[in-house]
Amino acid sequence: MEGFFEKLETAIKNNGLVKMTLSKPVSKNSDLRNVYIKPILLKDNKMYQFTYRYERRDETKNFDASQTMEQVRSLVPANFQNVSLFTLTEDVTLLVSKKGKPTLMCKKINEKRDVDLSHDHEKQRLIDPSNPWWHLLGLTTRDGKVKADMQHKFKQICKYVEIVDGVMRQTKFGDEIHIADMGAGKGYLTFALYEYLTRNYDKKIVMEGVEIRKDLVLKINDIIEKCQLNDFKFIENSIEDYKPSKLDVLIALHACDTATDDAILKGIRNNAQLIICAPCCHKQIRREMEKSGKFDSITRYGIFLERQAVMITDAVRALVLEYCGYKTQVMEFIEIDNTPKNVLLVGRKTDKPVDKEAVSNQIRGILEQYGIGEHYLWSKMWRNVRLT
């Protein structure tokens, strides 16, 4: 252990520390996951920047040489079992076993390395937290800094914009893009997409957030008015009753159970060019499967029944979109590190002819195989006629 600290102290004294990572927390329940350390030049003073990576936020602190040694000694081995130290001349790895036994491994390097003393550059963000609506929405302070407890949410918002942008750039639109965000809630994602598109697309963006809760609609529209945002408004309505004047892009993220089906149907009936859904809850099909009692050797286990219901629900949704002339894509995406994977269902309108009989047979075959009397979306297209 002392051999490691000697190498660290030597690297600091000789200006040879390139970077260092502390990992593998001693406690599995620790909120602090990693610590990243690098040298920086701050107001002409050599300092060491510590980035503390927590489960849902990052914190950054700067220390001088002696403080850096104190900090690392306080964290290793009390909090972390693994340390990777990179210097100008060697790679040093410290491994601490569960019983506290340290192992030190050193490897000389041949390639030339440089010490980067630059301070963290301003991050190239897809959205700008200094815009006034983010403070009014509660994500930032008055001076445009993302609040510590909203860092995770802000990263999710940026990731969402990146995903939707990637999908939209594969779709051809006219000079105007009319977008409806179904079940828009507090408006974080709706504002983010509006901000990004109006800044990066050479088209007129018309955005409507559809939300059934009156208090949220009033609050968001007040923010929109204060910030003087054009062609942007929230509408108090349910997904099912919403009547758009024009619809190019329909977005529905985590609309619960059959609300996702209502959103998809709304997009289909309004001839939307692009339908983007991240389905949530699949209770309707599970109830149908349980009611039929047609369990096999796999789905008789509850957790597998749940997963099967998810796959059947979304597979039929994708096929319904194909039946209606959409090229469908089902992808798995991760919003941010340490969060569960989600399914993104994307439908793009095409002019290609569709073999409706073949698609219909596929849907009916799936429903019959699993004893499903009704798939909400498929049945609703046919005025709730049961497909038994």
Side-chain angles (χ1 to χ4, degrees), residues 166-189:
V167 172
M168 287 185 62
R169 288 195 183 278
Q170 300 177 48
T171 309
K172 291 183 179 180
F173 298 103
D175 294 333
E176 296 185 4
I177 306 178
H178 292 251
I179 304 169
D181 188 357
M182 315 300 276
K186 296 180 181 179
Y188 299 140
L189 302 180

Side-chain angles (χ1 to χ4, degrees), residues 23 74 150 170 193 219 262 296 320 360 375:
S23 59
S74 70
M150 299 301 286
Q170 300 177 48
L193 188 59
K219 176 184 176 181
D262 289 327
D296 60 22
V320 169
S360 178
H375 184 290

